[in-house]
Amino acid sequence: MSYQYTRPLAILIEELAKLPGIGPKTAQRLALYILNISKEEANILARSIVNAKEKIKKCRICYNLTDQDVCEICQDNARQRDVLCVVETVRDLMAVEKTGGYKGLYHVLQGAISPLDGIEPEHLTIEQLISRLKTEGIKEVILTTNPNIEGEVTAAYIARLIRPFNIKTTRIAYGVPIGGDLEFADEVTLTQALLGRQVFKNEK
Amino acid sequence: MNVDKIRLINFRNFKDASFNFHSSLNIFIGDNAQGKTNVIESIYTLLRGNSYRAKEDSNLINWSEKESYILGEVSKNKEKFQINILLQDIDRINSLPKKAKKIIKVNKKYRQKSWLTKRFTPVIFTPEDLQIIKSSPSVRRKFLDEVIINLNPIYERYLRDYSRVLFQRNMLLKSIESKSNLEQHLTVWDQKIVEIGSMIIRYRVKTLQIMNQKVKIIHQLMTKNQEVLKLKYNSNILTSFSEDNEEIGNIFEQKLSQAKEQDLRLKVTTVGPHRDDYFIMNNLVDLGIYGSQGQQRTAVLALKMAELELLKEKDREYPPLLLDDVLSELDSERRLFLMKIIKERPLQTFITSIDIEDLTQYNINSSSKIFRIKDGTMQNDGE
């Protein structure tokens, strides 16, 4: 019979292994590491998990994560309040935010339409998006869903609903990565980049 | 494009064999089950990264060994490529063969299979290819789609996207059965399937058009102007075609909404390029139904030669032509024409045959090399 972990250790490993990207070996390593840290440190870790879980909720307006009723971005009056960037997940929001180049507001859909996964428009925050358009004086909606079939279909679905509002609706551009060599771009990306080419802006 | 040499180690029934190929005609002679087709298969595998007939890579490894090497030298547009493929199935001695590990190196750099498939596009003809005419529409679609991918690699992406949309739309059709309010969401999937589907139809129609020009010329050569071969796209959406994407799209959209009740009942998408086909017509008669064996073989060969010509126009030089067991399937006159077509072109050909006698009459000695294959070994017949 093979060696068995003592019960509390086995439970810890089992719980850690449930986390994304963590296999049984990493789970074992993390568990043994946690056993080695001081009791305080372990308490801080445990409390921070519970604390985050208890305090963090979804922003009432944009569905970003926040510990308040309304998230920091939605509260920030320095931001451009008439532009809305529609993303699938909070991770996508963070990615756009990391660029530092976008100063408008967000709307997090909580996924993309995918009958395969049983996700229909009703399961997303599309209805809430539409009611925001009615009240917030939005002038442009940037559809920043993923450039795959589900993301495209979600963008198309939303664009149809926005049409009656006469609000400028844009889709992020597809293109070659900046700083990369053209020869390494795959044909699909390059073809899309060519289709989406822009008039060269000459210096004035 | 040429395959200059190849060395096979533990590949199928070859323990260790090296071939220096002729830039024109290479003939593999030998009795049945000696390994002639295996050489053809190894050349194909070298250029494409996988076999055209093995279900698993591990089938290519000699049954008593754990790993196999295919080492080759290829030249294309004056550039040289040293391609090494290693197949490994470490556990196979102890257990059943399973998925082999595959390592591809080109000029000593690690490469993906797609690196090869985008560059090297050999044309292969085997007795199985008769199915293109005889078998179901899906076999014909597959052949045409592969031709298009070799000519326009981006088409592969469109096909993948199409099957994804199709799959999602069918999933939605299935869930509508229990939740009828979901029906309103079909529209957005219809839009997407029309968008990608009409692009696919356009590629297919266009490619058949240019293939028709090539097919006609080659087929007339092989039949002494007595028969005319023509390919005609047979769509469940529209009967006549313009290349106008928008027009195709409009008609597709119409048909899709007409078929809505039926789709909902059957819970599957019943119209679209995934159900399309094309006729292969000889003197305006459908060869799949009315053609003789000989006519069908000649037609498939003409299709393959047309593919060869299209690839030549794209790359400015011919890809290698692999002919497995073709001669035995043609009558002597058509054989003669085939050999003539091959000889007249700056084209590297690999061909298998059971005996040499029927080859001597083609007067090929000056530009060919004969390899005698016996039990996984090779004896060179001299230049």
Side-chain angles (χ1 to χ4, degrees), chain A residues 114-116 122 150 160, chain B residues 118 154 164 168 172 185 191:
Chain A
S114 172
L116 168 65
E122 293 81 356
E150 291 75 16
R160 276 166 70 97
Chain B
K118 274 179 201 167
I154 195 173
R164 181 83 186 168
Q168 288 278 27
L172 183 56
H185 299 324
Q191 244 176 31

Side-chain angles (χ1 to χ4, degrees), chain B residues 80-110:
Chain B
K80 291 258 179 207
F81 299 95
Q82 193 183 49
I83 307 172
N84 295 348
I85 298 179
L86 163 64
L87 299 168
Q88 245 177 356
D89 186 359
I90 307 272
D91 296 330
R92 70 183 294 163
I93 305 296
N94 305 320
S95 63
L96 288 168
K98 54 182 182 192
K99 236 181 157 119
K101 185 177 160 192
K102 178 157 57 186
I103 297 168
I104 300 171
K105 275 186 167 185
V106 183
N107 295 339
K108 299 201 166 97
K109 277 198 194 118
Y110 290 99

Side-chain angles (χ1 to χ4, degrees), chain B residues 8-251:
Chain B
L8 306 176
I9 300 168
N10 298 332
F11 181 89
R12 295 268 191 199
N13 68 339
F14 288 94
K15 281 283 175 195
D16 188 347
S18 296
F19 300 82
N20 288 313
F21 294 127
H22 196 281
S23 62
S24 183
L25 185 58
N26 297 278
I27 304 165
F28 306 100
I29 308 270
D31 293 335
N32 288 325
Q34 300 300 310
K36 302 188 298 290
T37 300
N38 294 348
V39 186
I40 298 280
E41 185 180 30
S42 74
I43 297 166
Y44 186 92
T45 309
L46 180 78
L47 297 173
R48 301 294 286 178
N50 60 272
S51 164
Y52 59 91
R53 58 177 190 149
K55 279 210 177 69
E56 296 282 348
D57 286 334
S58 58
N59 297 351
L60 301 177
I61 308 171
N62 183 286
W63 63 274
S64 64
E65 300 288 339
K66 294 178 179 184
E67 54 185 26
S68 168
Y69 291 88
I70 310 165
L71 314 169
E73 276 178 42
V74 171
S75 43
K76 185 183 177 186
N77 292 330
K78 297 198 173 108
E79 215 180 325
K80 291 258 179 207
F81 299 95
Q82 193 183 49
I83 307 172
N84 295 348
I85 298 179
L86 163 64
L87 299 168
Q88 245 177 356
D89 186 359
I90 307 272
D91 296 330
R92 70 183 294 163
I93 305 296
N94 305 320
S95 63
L96 288 168
K98 54 182 182 192
K99 236 181 157 119
K101 185 177 160 192
K102 178 157 57 186
I103 297 168
I104 300 171
K105 275 186 167 185
V106 183
N107 295 339
K108 299 201 166 97
K109 277 198 194 118
Y110 290 99
R111 295 291 184 188
Q112 300 284 328
K113 199 179 79 152
S114 61
W115 194 96
L116 296 176
T117 52
K118 274 179 201 167
R119 281 165 184 79
F120 306 127
T121 50
V123 172
I124 183 164
F125 182 46
T126 75
E128 298 295 306
D129 286 321
L130 205 54
Q131 298 303 324
I132 294 171
I133 292 190
K134 290 178 113 162
S135 192
S136 63
S138 67
V139 178
R140 273 184 293 286
R141 279 197 302 272
K142 186 164 172 264
F143 169 65
L144 178 59
D145 286 341
E146 274 167 9
V147 172
I148 303 174
I149 290 170
N150 283 338
L151 295 172
N152 319 274
I154 195 173
Y155 181 74
E156 190 174 18
R157 172 59 178 262
Y158 296 147
L159 275 183
R160 222 175 24 227
D161 281 355
Y162 184 80
S163 63
R164 181 83 186 168
V165 182
L166 186 67
F167 183 66
Q168 288 278 27
R169 189 179 188 270
N170 291 344
M171 288 305 288
L172 183 56
L173 287 168
K174 284 184 186 76
S175 19
I176 290 172
E177 192 182 29
S178 52
K179 285 187 274 180
S180 59
N181 64 318
L182 293 179
E183 198 182 313
Q184 48 168 327
H185 299 324
L186 265 178
T187 324
V188 72
W189 291 104
D190 289 1
Q191 244 176 31
K192 201 74 200 169
I193 208 170
V194 164
E195 179 194 319
I196 304 172
S198 36
M199 218 146 54
I200 285 171
I201 296 175
R202 202 178 77 110
Y203 265 104
R204 285 184 182 163
V205 171
K206 204 173 137 192
T207 307
L208 283 184
Q209 268 171 13
I210 52 173
M211 263 182 103
N212 257 331
Q213 300 160 12
K214 306 286 175 200
V215 163
K216 198 179 153 197
I217 299 168
I218 292 157
H219 194 254
Q220 279 180 343
L221 271 175
M222 291 185 70
T223 60
K224 290 199 290 187
N225 289 323
Q226 287 183 355
E227 293 170 27
V228 181
L229 190 69
K230 197 168 174 345
L231 309 171
K232 191 169 170 292
Y233 197 61
N234 175 24
S235 169
N236 56 44
I237 293 170
L238 52 166
T239 40
S240 70
F241 293 96
S242 69
E243 266 183 45
D244 188 348
N245 221 6
E246 209 163 300
E247 199 197 352
I248 298 175
N250 289 338
I251 302 170

